[in-house]
Amino acid sequence: MDGDAVTHEPQGLATRRLASLAALLAGSTMVVLVACFFLWRGWVTAPVPSPRAGEPKLQPEPRRDMEMFRRRQRNANEWGWVDRERGVARIPVERAMRLMAKEGDRKP
């Protein structure tokens, strides 16, 4: 080792780049946290709707309403006039399907 200068290997770690990356990540994290804080405060202090505001209106006579519904359902499978003046009648669904099938056979 006569006259040879002792050299060291260069440091393999770029400390300046790592420090700037860490600072960027810390700053970004702080910005996101502050934004989340203000969004959270906005949601917490938002006016709460009245519990009755979306409440459905109750039926005053549910038994009568159910009986009318059942009567309409029973009558739906019977023949009858819906509007006699205009010539609109009600027929059972099965019969209407058979009539439509026959008409479809007749059409070219």
Side-chain angles (χ1 to χ4, degrees), residues 7 60 79:
T7 57
W79 298 78

Side-chain angles (χ1 to χ4, degrees), residues 24-88:
L24 178 68
L25 286 173
S28 299
T29 303
M30 289 305 293
V31 168
V32 168
L33 287 175
V34 168
C36 287
F37 173 75
F38 283 110
L39 286 172
W40 177 74
R41 282 191 53 149
W43 285 322
V44 168
T45 58
V48 178
S50 169
R52 303 191 97 184
E55 192 174 290
K57 305 236 187 283
L58 298 177
Q59 293 174 307
E61 297 181 43
R63 290 177 194 252
R64 181 183 57 85
D65 294 342
M66 181 56 94
E67 182 55 38
M68 288 174 55
F69 171 76
R70 287 182 178 154
R71 192 176 309 127
R72 280 194 308 268
Q73 291 299 315
R74 279 192 303 267
N75 292 340
N77 290 329
E78 297 176 359
W79 298 78
W81 287 106
V82 174
D83 188 352
R84 185 172 279 210
E85 293 175 4
R86 293 184 182 170
V88 179

